[in-house]
Amino acid sequence: MLRPGLKARARDFTPLPSYDGEDARPRQREEWRQLKRASVPITCLMLLILFAHDLYAYMALCSGLFRARLTGGDARQVLIVGTQSAGTTHAFEALEGLGYEVAHENS
């Protein structure tokens, strides 16, 4: 730790230790480059998946091609959330029995 007012000199810093006794900085730089190279395709794949999901949601719900168009103020937007054995199946069946368009996810 440097005291205030002192400037650091190159000789004040020791090389990072390595198992083979050499400076580990070049190896760490290469590992970082490999990590960056690997992260670009993974990021692109995730963005593609998210885009595909959003495109599907738009086409299925908002485009009007497959069903009646769903708008922001539409009364059909209902989400029932609960844990297992919380009664979501019963709520689903009750709403479906009333004639509402409802879907239930089973995990």
Side-chain angles (χ1 to χ4, degrees):
M1 178 97 180
L2 295 173
R3 288 179 287 173
L6 293 180
K7 292 185 179 179
R9 295 182 299 261
R11 67 173 188 236
D12 292 337
F13 299 100
T14 58
L16 296 171
S18 169
Y19 293 112
D20 54 6
E22 295 179 12
D23 186 12
R25 285 188 188 121
R27 188 182 76 241
Q28 288 175 342
R29 281 190 207 111
E30 181 58 30
E31 289 172 355
W32 178 248
R33 283 187 194 109
Q34 289 175 356
L35 179 65
K36 286 193 298 187
R37 267 187 246 126
S39 65
V40 170
I42 292 170
T43 303
C44 291
L45 178 65
M46 292 303 298
L47 289 173
L48 180 66
I49 290 170
L50 290 172
F51 174 74
H53 178 266
D54 288 346
L55 180 65
Y56 165 75
Y58 174 78
M59 294 299 290
L61 299 175
C62 299
S63 69
L65 294 175
F66 304 110
R67 54 182 273 169
R69 183 179 217 140
L70 184 65
T71 62
D74 205 345
R76 291 189 288 175
Q77 294 186 10
V78 176
L79 175 64
I80 301 170
V81 180
T83 60
Q84 291 180 344
S85 301
T88 57
T89 302
H90 176 71
F92 162 73
E93 291 169 353
L95 289 171
E96 192 176 47
L98 292 172
Y100 289 103
E101 181 183 349
V102 184
H104 187 264
E105 179 183 352
N106 295 321
S107 56

